[in-house]
């Protein structure tokens, strides 16, 4: 255990109504028609930003792919729905929801569209035990087939930062360059891992906030691969991409009022 506490609300599921954007037509190994309604909702985060060159490099080897740890957050509908196509023939339809900003990337870059659909096909195979043919087209004049069903999306409440008062430790944070486009100054911080050698079970992030007296001025958001911190009013702003994926519900935060330091402990998915 890291010895750092925080209060997180229980994960809860919310119902969202994804908006249809485009539809993919394919078939399974038995020749049955399958339609994929690709929909969007702001409730699903956007994938990490990558260039086509990054993607090509990742696809060159399994080692590169594992190192990049590139994931596409998506929601696959709980069950396919039976519909009738334009010819009056029965077909099976799956609804897949992604972040709306990612749709532009898919439409602008064929390489990303191919990779995305590979991930979708693999997800459908794993979830419904179906094999799809790698023979697909995007319908030109139809954004979806049938009625889009609501999706249940899991959300998390923001962490409550525990405030403590203790002597400051003698750890010197590594200074980072502040970008001029930041909405507020970027604080100094260090990222430590536990254990120090090998794959970590925890990431420990120490953030120096010399002008902050109370944790009531702080808003901390922890995602699976990102941490953001706002110190109000516009005192500090930090947005960092984490080196390992973490489990938000198993994370904690403590603000030391005497040292003016926020310590965030994040359990990684490597545990």
């Amino acid at each position: 255990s890291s010895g750092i506490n925080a209060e997180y609300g229980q994960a809860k599921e919310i119902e969202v109504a994804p908006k249809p954007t485009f539809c993919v037509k394919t078939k399974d190994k038995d020749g049955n028609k399958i339609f994929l309604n690709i929909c969007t909702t702001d409730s699903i985060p956007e994938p990490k930003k990558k260039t086509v060159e990054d993607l090509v490099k990742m696809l060159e080897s399994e080692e590169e792919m594992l190192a990049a740890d590139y994931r596409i957050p998506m929601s696959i509908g709980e069950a396919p729905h039976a519909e009738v196509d334009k010819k009056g023939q029965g077909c099976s339809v799956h609804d897949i929801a992604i972040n709306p900003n990612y749709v532009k990337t898919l439409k602008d870059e064929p390489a990303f569209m191919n990779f995305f659909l590979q991930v979708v096909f693999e997800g459908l195979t794993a979830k419904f035990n179906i094999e799809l043919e790698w023979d697909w087209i995007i319908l030109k004049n139809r954004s979806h087939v049938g009625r889009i069903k609501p999706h249940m999306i899991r959300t998390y409440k923001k962490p409550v930062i525990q405030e403590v008062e203790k002597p400051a430790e003698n750890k010197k944070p590594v200074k980072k360059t502040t970008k001029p486009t930041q909405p507020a100054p970027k604080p100094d911080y260090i990222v430590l891992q536990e254990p120090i050698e090998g794959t970590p079970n925890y990431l420990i992030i120490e953030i120096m906030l010399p002008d902050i007296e109370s944790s009531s001025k702080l808003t901390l958001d922890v995602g699976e691969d990102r941490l953001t911190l706002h110190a109000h009013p516009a005192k500090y702003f930090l947005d960092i991409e984490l080196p390992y994926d973490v489990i938000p519900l198993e994370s904690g935060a403590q603000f030391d009022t005497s040292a003016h330091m926020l310590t965030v402990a994040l359990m990684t998915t490597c545990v």
Side-chain angles (χ1 to χ4, degrees), residues 26-34 92 130-133:
T26 184
K27 59 185 177 182
D28 63 20
K29 294 291 185 181
D30 296 324
N32 301 310
K33 283 185 186 177
I34 306 286
S92 185
I130 58 172
E131 284 192 75
L132 301 178
E133 294 281 1

Side-chain angles (χ1 to χ4, degrees), residues 132-203:
L132 301 178
E133 294 281 1
W134 188 244
D135 179 17
W136 53 268
I137 60 169
I138 296 175
L139 302 185
K140 292 183 177 180
N141 301 312
R142 200 169 182 182
S143 64
H144 63 289
V145 171
R147 182 180 178 183
I148 306 295
K149 293 189 175 183
H151 281 224
M152 300 303 294
I153 306 294
R154 180 170 291 185
T155 61
Y156 302 94
K157 290 184 179 179
K158 294 177 181 178
V160 176
I161 301 170
Q162 184 184 29
E163 197 166 283
V164 297
E165 194 170 341
K166 63 180 180 181
E169 296 182 13
N170 295 322
K171 293 180 181 177
K172 294 182 180 180
V174 179
K175 290 189 176 182
K176 307 289 181 179
T177 306
T178 301
K179 296 179 182 178
T181 55
Q182 289 285 115
K186 186 176 184 178
D188 291 339
Y189 70 93
I190 56 174
V191 179
L192 308 170
Q193 71 174 52
E194 181 186 309
I196 297 175
E197 299 293 335
T199 303
N201 294 329
Y202 289 89
L203 296 178

Side-chain angles (χ1 to χ4, degrees), residues 218-252:
L218 304 177
T219 301
L220 177 67
D221 280 299
V222 177
E224 290 183 351
D225 59 3
R226 197 166 213 87
L227 177 147
T228 59
L229 174 70
H230 296 260
H232 310 283
K235 286 280 189 180
Y236 299 102
F237 175 73
L238 182 64
D239 182 1
I240 57 177
E241 191 172 297
L242 302 172
Y244 295 89
D245 280 2
V246 301
I247 307 169
L249 282 177
E250 299 296 334
S251 302

Side-chain angles (χ1 to χ4, degrees), residues 255-270:
F255 181 64
D256 186 338
T257 56
S258 58
H260 303 282
M261 182 173 72
L262 178 67
T263 302
V264 185
L266 307 170
M267 180 184 286
T268 71
T269 57
C270 308

